Amino acid sequence: ALPAAEEWRQAVNVAQVALFYETEVGKALLTAVRQQQTVLRECNFTLSLPIAMLGTFFLGKEPEEMTEIAPLLETWQLLPEQWSTEQIFLQGAIDLAFHTEAGWVLVDYKSGWNAGLSDVVLLQKYGRQLQIYRYAIQQTLQEEVQAAYLYFTQNQRIVQVF
């Protein structure tokens, strides 16, 4: 068997990784490191989320506008008056979060190909995920998240989520 470091070298395209640090987001990360700001990598989280927040994340609607997921909540045998009191648990892993003077910045790495897909399509596909990460950081650290980005490693494309 190969040593772990050698396996890593064979699995990772170091030149491709280095290209990230040439982007504005990568340069901001390097600045944060030089300023000894907090950098979180592969940060696992578990959080309790009021069911009423599902509408915000998954439908882009405020909790009081959740009629579209009412049938789902009914299958869970939850009445509308329970939506604000019942909780679900979410688990995830934030690829990269770093602190700047303006607040936290989130980066989610994507290895899939995205050629021909507009930013709008990519935001529809992945935007909710970053909104949940934002909520997790803000709830856990009680600090603002000022920006979030998708970084596609195959072609070094960056899409700003917010």
Side-chain angles (χ1 to χ4, degrees):
L2 295 172
E6 185 59 29
E7 288 176 7
W8 184 87
R9 275 190 218 87
Q10 289 180 6
V12 174
N13 182 334
V14 176
Q16 195 174 41
V17 171
L19 290 173
F20 171 74
Y21 295 99
E22 294 177 13
T23 68
E24 290 304 312
V25 177
K27 290 174 185 175
L29 170 61
L30 293 174
T31 298
V33 169
R34 278 193 294 278
Q35 294 175 349
Q36 299 182 346
Q37 297 283 346
T38 303
V39 176
L40 305 174
R41 291 183 179 93
E42 293 297 321
C43 181
N44 295 318
F45 68 88
T46 301
L47 68 106
S48 177
L49 181 72
I51 286 180
M53 293 293 293
L54 286 176
T56 303
F57 291 127
F58 296 103
L59 298 173
K61 302 198 176 206
E62 293 303 314
E64 58 272 8
E65 302 177 90
M66 287 188 29
T67 55
E68 293 177 48
I69 64 167
L72 172 64
L73 296 177
E74 287 170 8
T75 64
W76 293 346
Q77 299 180 344
L78 291 173
L79 301 171
E81 56 269 17
Q82 294 174 295
W83 296 355
S84 63
T85 58
E86 294 295 320
Q87 305 277 315
I88 62 168
F89 289 96
L90 289 176
Q91 291 183 316
I94 299 170
D95 290 339
L96 173 64
F98 59 95
H99 194 265
T100 68
E101 292 176 2
W104 286 90
V105 175
L106 305 177
V107 179
D108 193 56
Y109 300 116
K110 299 294 181 195
S111 59
W113 195 252
N114 60 82
L117 298 177
S118 69
D119 287 0
V120 171
V121 169
L122 294 170
L123 291 172
Q124 287 172 340
K125 186 172 183 178
Y126 299 113
R128 290 180 197 101
Q129 178 184 358
L130 275 291
Q131 291 293 347
I132 291 169
Y133 292 174
R134 175 191 226 175
Y135 182 81
I137 290 281
Q138 290 180 169
Q139 291 298 307
T140 304
L141 301 177
Q142 299 295 305
E143 295 185 37
E144 287 299 313
V145 175
Q146 63 125 356
Y149 301 90
L150 300 168
Y151 179 70
F152 292 87
T153 59
Q154 292 296 321
N155 59 350
Q156 296 76 49
R157 180 177 177 184
I158 294 179
V159 176
Q160 185 166 4
V161 178
F162 54 84

